[in-house]
Amino acid sequence: MRLLLVEDDKDLSRQMKAILEDGGYAVDTSFDGEDGHFLGETESYDAIILDLGLPVIDGLSVLRKWRNHGVETPVLVLTARDEWSEKVAGLDAGADDYVTKPFKVEEVLARVRALIRRAAGKASPELSCGTVTLNTSTSRVTVGGSPVKLTAQEYKLLSYMMHHPEKVISRTELTEHIYDQDFDRDSNTIEVFVTRIRKKLGVNILKTIRGMGYQLVEPEDEQVNEE
Ligand code: CA
């Protein structure tokens, strides 16, 4: 899962990026409204965190432009303290949620998780496929109740797949959603990650669709012991 953070306070941005990355997200940062608007319109994000007080173009205008141009990515706005009118204006402009400054970054993280879940049509923080479960709050993955240790990239890939069950997802799409902008992307590594995830889970829920990509599927009853 990949996020865009548009916040001109560089200290706050750095602090938020670190916590969001720890939470299992790839994070792109932008420090003004013009650049942020461009990224939000041209790159693929699972959610956007948008400060309203921004240089060059203010956050509300950025949000209205995105919505007018059909950008449907969930947006969480950061509003100034006690400015109730900002919250209303933000929601009216197409924001999905807001957090008032000053905030705990953990609250932003929890709200972002919820936004991404809801955008994928999921109410519970725990996603499952067959015996595999992925808890988006704790970043824990289990198979039949036993914990499985995945690397950060493997977790991001599996999480993206589990938010989009049944959909065939190309390697390019996966690449766009697990790496931040600055990462030297190589879609061949996706295949390596998928192989490792299958091996670690011990069940194949990531089905290869030839020439197209991968699809999350419930494993069929493999290895039924007849005797
Ligand atoms: Ca600001």
Side-chain angles (χ1 to χ4, degrees), residues 20 27 31 34 51 67 109-110 123 150 167 186-187 191 214:
L20 294 166
V27 183
F31 307 106
E34 189 175 19
D51 182 31
R67 295 310 188 221
L109 183 61
L150 298 182
K167 189 185 163 199
D186 176 1
S187 65
E191 217 171 308
Y214 302 98

Side-chain angles (χ1 to χ4, degrees), residues 97-167:
D97 200 359
Y98 62 83
V99 172
T100 308
K101 288 183 175 182
F103 51 76
K104 288 255 183 243
V105 182
E106 286 75 7
E107 181 183 354
V108 172
L109 183 61
R111 288 183 182 275
V112 163
R113 278 196 298 261
L115 283 185
I116 292 176
R117 272 202 323 262
R118 266 184 261 136
K122 317 269 180 206
S124 156
E126 191 160 282
L127 309 178
S128 61
C129 178
T131 54
V132 180
T133 64
L134 181 145
N135 189 308
T136 56
S137 305
T138 60
S139 307
R140 257 169 65 101
V141 175
T142 63
V143 180
S146 308
V148 175
K149 246 188 137 40
L150 298 182
T151 64
Q153 299 297 30
E154 290 163 2
Y155 176 81
K156 279 178 212 161
L157 193 157
L158 183 64
S159 176
Y160 189 77
M161 293 294 300
M162 290 192 70
H163 278 84
H164 301 92
E166 309 293 318
K167 189 185 163 199

